[in-house]
């Protein structure tokens, strides 16, 4: 091995006969790796690849250092994290799919009809091995929680879009507002109790979440998404994480959060029918 060591920043190369070869190292940045190549006088070529660290580019993108994450999670290794994305597909979904593809991970999309121009993204999500669940066609609380017939009409219409795009239906769903929402009580007291029972009768599994990225409101940024999610990981045996692919900062945060999770031993998976449903408990 003519080249004894390398490091970034400030790599070096040394050879037992030629001495210091650092000046001759060719450094090439690939998409997710840096390639170092050096050849000694005898023509022996050495190539070493170094993975790009998880926070590469964060500072360039934000002007800030990667958030300090000080968590103690002794069970991190192999812990399952289900990243779930509600309210899309929309303008940022392709960017998210690109990130998922880059790291070879699959997530779950609870889809809506909010952005008809992006409806065909459901097909791409499904084709890439992600799980598709129904969220709601309209996301109109007053309409869907006015009575159970209106609710299931909305769900059936979304199911038809899922079937059209993917060629199959789905048994996964997530209620608008989650099963514990109390907004529905403004329209129909007791409707969540009824709808959760009916969901089971219809063969649906509904999923809530046990970790929130905090991106459901009007304010937020990448740092919030990264710190809120990571700080809650130690509290759960299996993590079901609520995110929205309709938030640009959430989608951008995944470029840094996903490699961080993988780097720390977490296993990112798409929800299946028998996965942890993280039910909140119905309150209406
Ligand atoms: Zn939603």
């Amino acid at each position: 091995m003519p080249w004894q060591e390398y490091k970034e920043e400030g790599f070096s190369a040394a050879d037992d006969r030629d001495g210091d070869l650092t000046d001759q190292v060719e450094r090439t940045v690939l998409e997710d790796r840096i390639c170092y190549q050096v050849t000694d006088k005898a023509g022996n070529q050495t190539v070493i690849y170094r993975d790009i660290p998880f926070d590469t580019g964060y500072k360039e993108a934000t002007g800030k250092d990667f958030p300090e994450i000080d968590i103690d999670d002794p069970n991190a290794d192999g812990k399952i994290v289900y990243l779930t994305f509600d309210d899309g597909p929309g303008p940022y979904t392709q960017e998210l799919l690109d990130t998922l593809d880059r790291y070879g991970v699959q997530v779950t999309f609870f889809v809506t009809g909010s952005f008809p121009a992006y409806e065909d993204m459901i097909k791409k999500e499904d084709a890439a091995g992600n799980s598709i669940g129904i969220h709601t066609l309209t996301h109109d609380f007053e309409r869907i929680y006015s009575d159970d017939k209106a609710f299931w009409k909305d769900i059936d219409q979304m199911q038809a879009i899922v079937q059209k795009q993917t060629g199959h239906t789905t048994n996964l769903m997530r209620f608008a507002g989650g099963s514990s929402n109390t907004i529905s009580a403004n329209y129909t007291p007791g409707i969540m109790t009824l709808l959760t029972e009916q969901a089971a009768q219809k063969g649906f599994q509904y999923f809530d979440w046990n970790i929130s990225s905090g991106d459901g409101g009007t304010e937020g940024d990448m740092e919030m998404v990264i710190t809120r999610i990571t700080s809650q990981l130690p509290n759960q045996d299996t993590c079901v994480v609520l995110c929205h692919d309709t938030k640009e900062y959430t989608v951008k945060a995944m470029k840094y959060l996903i490699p961080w999770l993988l780097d720390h031993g977490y296993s990112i998976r798409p929800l299946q029918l028998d996965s942890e449903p993280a039910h909140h408990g119905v309150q209406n």
Side-chain angles (χ1 to χ4, degrees):
M1 202 64 173
W3 185 9
Q4 300 301 326
E5 60 169 311
Y6 70 105
K7 63 177 192 276
E8 182 86 8
E9 311 283 328
F11 54 86
S12 64
D15 182 82
D16 46 7
R17 278 178 297 161
D18 299 346
D20 187 22
L21 293 172
T22 305
D23 290 349
Q24 293 164 46
V25 174
E26 271 185 59
R27 178 179 171 279
T28 316
V29 179
L30 306 172
E31 196 184 6
D32 59 347
R33 294 185 296 176
I34 301 171
C35 172
Y36 303 89
Q37 220 171 312
V38 70
T39 308
D40 68 9
K41 282 180 188 157
N44 300 312
Q45 190 185 59
T46 300
V47 182
I48 290 182
Y49 292 97
R50 180 182 193 274
D51 288 342
I52 293 177
F54 62 81
D55 61 348
T56 293
Y58 187 88
K59 191 157 189 173
E60 288 86 331
T62 64
K64 296 178 188 172
D65 289 319
F66 190 78
E68 205 166 296
I69 298 171
D70 184 22
I71 64 164
D72 181 22
D73 190 352
N75 302 315
D77 206 22
K79 184 182 280 191
I80 294 174
V81 177
Y82 298 107
L83 296 173
T84 69
F85 296 88
D86 291 9
D87 294 1
Y92 313 116
T93 306
Q94 182 61 57
E95 190 175 345
L96 177 57
L97 286 175
D98 291 343
T99 299
L100 300 177
D101 182 54
R102 181 176 174 186
Y103 293 104
V105 297
Q106 282 87 35
V107 301
T108 304
F109 291 95
F110 287 105
V111 295
T112 67
S114 298
F115 303 90
Y118 294 90
E119 188 185 296
D120 62 346
M121 298 295 305
I122 297 172
K123 185 177 187 167
K124 289 190 183 181
E125 293 167 353
D126 179 69
N130 299 292
S131 290
I132 308 293
I134 295 171
H135 192 32
T136 160
L137 178 74
T138 61
H139 219 295
D140 179 346
F141 282 72
E142 185 174 357
R143 177 168 156 170
I144 62 178
Y145 293 138
S146 61
D147 63 48
D148 61 323
K149 284 192 183 62
F151 178 83
W152 290 110
K153 186 180 173 193
D154 174 279
I155 295 294
D156 288 347
Q157 287 175 316
M158 197 63 229
Q159 181 77 286
I161 293 172
V162 169
Q163 182 155 25
K164 179 182 151 202
Q165 291 297 333
T166 68
H168 56 81
T169 57
T170 178
N171 293 325
L172 314 181
M173 64 178 285
R174 173 174 282 159
F175 289 103
S179 70
S180 62
N181 84 78
T182 52
I183 304 169
S184 55
N186 296 333
Y187 309 111
T188 313
I191 193 165
M192 296 316 299
T193 303
L194 177 64
L195 294 179
T196 50
E197 286 168 9
Q198 290 176 339
Q201 287 158 13
K202 289 171 182 282
F204 280 106
Q205 174 61 289
Y206 68 91
F207 293 84
D208 288 317
W209 56 90
N210 55 28
I211 292 179
S212 173
S213 67
D215 70 347
T218 51
E219 307 249 316
D221 58 24
M222 291 208 298
E223 184 171 348
M224 177 199 75
V225 167
I226 291 168
T227 54
R228 288 220 188 165
I229 292 174
T230 53
S231 66
Q232 297 173 78
L233 294 168
N235 306 338
Q236 307 296 340
D237 294 332
T238 303
C239 304
V240 184
V241 184
L242 173 68
C243 303
H244 296 82
D245 55 321
T246 48
K247 296 290 167 71
E248 186 175 18
Y249 60 80
T250 300
V251 167
K252 293 204 180 304
M254 292 302 140
K255 294 181 182 179
Y256 312 101
L257 179 69
I258 288 173
W260 185 93
L261 289 167
L262 298 174
D263 192 57
H264 288 76
Y266 295 96
S267 178
I268 300 170
R269 303 258 183 88
L271 287 167
Q272 308 295 337
L273 201 55
D274 59 352
S275 302
E276 169 60 53
H279 285 170
H280 291 166
V282 172
Q283 294 178 44
N284 170 39

